[in-house]
Amino acid sequence: MRPEVTREDVLRANVYIHTAVIDLYADQPHFRPENQQKVSAILKELRERVSTAGPGGVKLLDMGCGTGFLLKLAEPHFDQLQGVDITPAMLEQVDLSSGKISLHCGPVEETPFEAGAFDVVTAYSFMDHLFDLRPFMAEVYRVLKPGGLFYADQNANRAFWQAVSAIPGRPDAYSPIVAREMTAGLHAEEELARQRDIDTEACRIAEYIKTQENGIDADEVLAIAREIGFREVEARYDWFLGQGKVMHGQSVRDAEVVEAYLHEAAPLTSHLFKYLRFDFVK
């Protein structure tokens, strides 16, 4: 990564890349029915944890909302929804037919909302696209009501990507599960750039924290959250290596058993999970 990369470079790269590959989003793994069911259940739980509703009902803000994946799942559970994203082409894909959703184009670190405006703030598959986590998390804290909830998911787990990067030898020396992460996983940006004839460096910059720092460190994020003022902070490791193969090749129940064991054996197993989930309370 070029050391002179700036926040403005990251913003421009995100707009460029996400506009160029917008047709690919409906095929992303998180759109699969089982994941949509899982995220919908989480959003329902978040709604149930909001004890009181102010004027206008219970309000949710989705940061980096993209084409509206999380907003669509949140519609049945919340009264008002707002989405913020830097890429106009993605916002144009959001389904506004319910009348519940309003959109804002701009950076997530500088939203137009009043302090304490929202009961819940979300960020899905997004935080590793930022230049710096701290200003973003400070803005999340600002717009949340006291007692408000922040939920972030599908964040690249640094411990996992560091472990994959350290594997010696060629990918074909290992099982297909490991080989896939050594090739497609570590070099996803280069492969995307080759397939779509787009700028490779822009692909890397668009996922700045993943490519610059090998993803997000759970302890670092929790420390920042505490410094900002969140009174409850929690990180959870999610989606173990090969979980899809177990779910679809064996059974969902088998995947649940493996996942439960790996969580019980934490922190020795934290590097086996691809993603991080964060839950904070203001």
Side-chain angles (χ1 to χ4, degrees):
M1 183 64 63
R2 296 181 293 118
E4 68 273 16
V5 170
T6 66
R7 174 176 174 266
E8 287 67 33
D9 292 330
V10 174
L11 292 175
R12 282 193 296 269
N14 271 281
V15 173
Y16 165 69
I17 293 300
H18 293 124
T19 300
V21 301
I22 196 165
D23 59 305
L24 300 179
Y25 282 94
D27 295 327
Q28 294 299 303
H30 57 256
F31 280 92
R32 291 173 182 161
E34 62 269 23
N35 189 60
Q36 292 196 50
Q37 182 179 9
K38 174 183 176 181
V39 176
S40 181
I42 292 170
L43 293 167
K44 182 176 184 290
E45 179 188 357
L46 292 174
R47 170 61 182 87
E48 292 169 350
R49 289 173 59 189
V50 176
S51 56
T52 59
V58 181
K59 301 176 183 178
L60 176 143
L61 169 63
D62 188 29
M63 298 285 219
C65 66
T67 59
F69 166 77
L70 189 137
L71 289 171
K72 187 66 174 178
L73 296 177
E75 274 184 352
H77 310 300
F78 293 86
D79 302 304
Q80 292 188 39
L81 302 101
Q82 305 275 355
V84 177
D85 202 279
I86 196 66
T87 304
M90 298 190 82
L91 293 175
E92 291 172 1
Q93 302 294 313
V94 179
D95 181 1
L96 303 178
S97 60
S98 70
K100 287 185 175 184
I101 298 174
S102 299
L103 302 175
H104 304 268
C105 187
V108 294
E109 303 92 340
E110 303 163 9
T111 70
F113 308 112
E114 294 182 358
F118 295 94
D119 302 280
V120 176
V121 176
T122 57
Y124 194 89
S125 188
F126 166 68
M127 286 172 58
D128 42 8
H129 291 257
L130 293 166
F131 179 72
D132 185 354
L133 289 174
R134 187 179 294 272
F136 163 71
M137 292 169 61
E139 182 67 356
V140 170
Y141 184 87
R142 185 187 72 81
V143 301
L144 273 174
K145 297 176 180 179
L149 310 175
F150 174 57
Y151 159 66
D153 216 335
Q154 292 284 291
N155 301 292
N157 175 22
R158 184 184 301 171
F160 175 84
W161 291 111
Q162 285 181 333
V164 174
S165 300
I167 297 174
R170 293 170 51 86
D172 57 14
Y174 301 93
S175 73
I177 295 175
V178 175
R180 180 186 181 279
E181 302 302 341
M182 293 177 70
T183 53
L186 285 177
H187 305 286
E189 296 81 14
E190 291 92 333
E191 180 61 19
L192 178 63
R194 184 188 65 79
Q195 290 178 357
R196 303 306 293 263
D197 192 25
I198 53 182
D199 183 68
T200 303
E201 185 68 5
C203 284
R204 296 193 187 102
I205 294 173
E207 291 188 291
Y208 185 76
I209 290 178
K210 180 182 177 183
T211 55
Q212 173 77 357
E213 301 176 10
N214 258 344
I216 293 174
D217 181 86
D219 291 335
E220 288 181 7
V221 172
L222 296 182
I224 293 171
R226 293 187 186 99
E227 290 172 9
I228 288 172
F230 286 98
R231 61 184 175 88
E232 295 180 26
V233 298
E234 181 182 1
R236 177 181 174 84
Y237 293 90
D238 195 23
W239 199 258
F240 63 83
L241 178 65
Q243 184 164 339
K245 180 177 176 60
V246 177
M247 288 177 65
H248 300 292
Q250 296 174 221
S251 70
V252 172
R253 176 56 183 160
D254 285 348
E256 291 173 346
V257 170
V258 174
E259 183 179 23
Y261 168 75
L262 293 175
H263 280 300
E264 186 177 354
L268 294 176
T269 55
S270 61
H271 65 287
L272 296 177
F273 290 90
K274 294 181 68 171
Y275 301 113
L276 290 165
R277 169 182 169 179
F278 296 105
D279 291 275
F280 304 158
V281 179
K282 179 174 177 177

